[in-house]
Amino acid sequence: MDGDTRGLGSRVMDGLGRPPRRLFVLGGGAAVLALLLDRGLRLDAPPPPPPVPTRRPAPDEALLLSAVADLDRVVAAETSVLAGDEGGALVRRLRTVNREQLRVLRGRLTNAGVPTSVIDAAVAAGPVPPAGATGTGTPTPAPSGATSAPDNPDEPVRTRRALAALLDSLGPDDWAALTTATASTRELLAAAYAQRLAGAALLGREVATSSPSPARPEIAARTQPLVYAFEVIAAQSSGDQRQAAEETLAALVRLDVALSGTTSTMPAGWALPYAVTTPAAARRLATETLSSAVEAGAEVAGPQPSAASLEDVARWVADVQALAVGWDVPMTAFPGATT
């Protein structure tokens, strides 16, 4: 009995003298946890997310975003006119061309890394006047009796006349902003602006500028051969084609006089590119000479054009493009642009 008692006591004391292994594990974990807490670890919040890299603006981003927002407004106006009684094939064609401009300009932005959310936000906010631009050009005054673009941009445009005024609502700052853009953006937007003005001319608005620019001598030099060509075209045509040639010739003579400030003069030493002795050859000459003039905008403006030159050239291209449509030369989104 005593032996049994001493055996039991020994086993109890042995148990008390050796702490359970579980206590050693818990004690070690508590020590590590205390050390981590002492060094700033918080258990009640997740670690902070990594910093979001800052996006660098794309070249000409602000200018292109404003152009896209303005174009979106133009397309909405064309849709509004088409929904009324003053639509027709011309407005539908203008909307198609302007939608193509939107597609290209939006693609230029997204290709440069601009998120679509940024583009959509710019469209929702509407066009922003160019910051710091100080244009020297003078916008063409509206013809007598013409209505201007609505003062409230949210007011829908419902008539062709109001649409023409909206298309011709580019101001001096718009042209000045182009001079600060990269060459490719300047060429692309100047061509888009020329097409926009051509649409206004086709809708019956006078878009010829009255402010001479450094590009004016070259513009006049490009216009006089057109006058000569259409004198030949009219002489070698008959019927409806002759009447159309005479009307185009009269318009070109008026344009030549407006550009030079004097009576229209025959260019010295200018020769036809080929013999024109039939109505078919005359029509070919009409489409080729008008197409070449429309495509010459960037060349006429030169490598470093002023704001006044850009506007002067765009308005000249617009007048010629409006005449070219009557000779089945199709309107394009960016006439003469190579980028």
Side-chain angles (χ1 to χ4, degrees):
M1 200 65 183
D2 291 341
D4 292 341
T5 302
R6 282 194 300 271
L8 177 61
S10 176
R11 289 195 297 272
V12 171
M13 291 303 295
D14 289 342
L16 291 175
R18 292 191 298 272
R21 184 177 302 174
R22 186 183 307 167
L23 294 179
F24 280 114
V25 174
L26 292 176
V32 172
L33 179 60
L35 178 62
L36 292 176
L37 289 173
D38 182 62
R39 296 193 177 187
L41 178 67
R42 294 187 58 187
L43 300 180
D44 59 341
V52 178
T54 302
R55 184 180 67 85
R56 301 182 67 179
D60 308 314
E61 180 175 325
L63 177 60
L64 288 168
L65 286 173
S66 183
V68 166
D70 202 21
L71 263 175
D72 187 80
R73 181 188 173 199
V74 167
V75 170
E78 290 162 344
T79 300
S80 179
V81 173
L82 285 170
D85 298 330
E86 294 195 25
L90 173 57
V91 177
R92 189 172 293 107
R93 176 58 183 155
L94 290 175
R95 186 176 65 171
T96 298
V97 172
N98 292 142
R99 281 176 169 173
E100 173 65 10
Q101 290 177 347
L102 268 177
R103 186 191 68 80
V104 171
L105 295 182
R106 288 182 70 106
R108 192 179 184 90
L109 285 165
T110 55
N111 289 343
V114 180
T116 55
S117 59
V118 172
I119 302 173
D120 293 340
V123 169
V128 178
T134 54
T136 57
T138 303
T140 304
S144 176
T147 58
S148 60
D151 294 330
N152 181 4
D154 296 327
E155 180 182 344
V157 174
R158 302 190 185 281
T159 67
R160 289 161 65 101
R161 178 177 289 187
L163 176 59
L166 175 61
L167 293 172
D168 190 20
S169 62
L170 295 164
D173 285 352
D174 294 299
W175 302 106
L178 291 188
T179 65
T180 67
T182 59
S184 60
T185 298
R186 181 181 67 240
E187 183 178 320
L188 197 68
L189 289 181
Y193 290 172
Q195 184 283 323
R196 173 172 171 166
L197 291 169
L202 287 167
L203 289 169
R205 188 174 178 88
E206 177 63 51
V207 300
T209 184
S210 58
S211 301
S213 75
R216 181 62 61 87
E218 180 65 18
I219 294 173
R222 300 276 183 148
T223 306
Q224 291 165 357
L226 291 175
V227 173
Y228 174 63
F230 268 88
E231 287 182 341
V232 175
I233 293 165
Q236 297 300 324
S237 298
S238 60
D240 292 342
Q241 182 172 303
R242 182 183 182 93
Q243 181 179 351
E246 290 175 344
E247 291 173 354
T248 303
L249 174 60
L252 287 169
V253 168
R254 290 193 298 270
L255 180 59
D256 187 23
V257 171
L259 292 170
S260 63
T262 60
T263 58
S264 181
T265 58
M266 189 73 66
W270 195 81
L272 296 175
Y274 43 80
V276 179
T277 57
T278 64
R283 172 167 283 277
R284 176 188 169 193
L285 181 63
T287 56
E288 289 181 355
T289 54
L290 289 172
S291 295
S292 296
V294 170
E295 296 294 317
E299 182 181 349
V300 174
Q304 293 182 320
S306 66
S309 291
L310 287 168
E311 181 179 10
D312 208 5
V313 171
R315 290 185 180 278
W316 174 73
V317 170
D319 268 321
V320 176
Q321 188 176 24
L323 293 174
V325 169
W327 291 90
D328 298 328
V329 177
M331 284 185 290
T332 58
F334 303 98
T338 58
T339 55

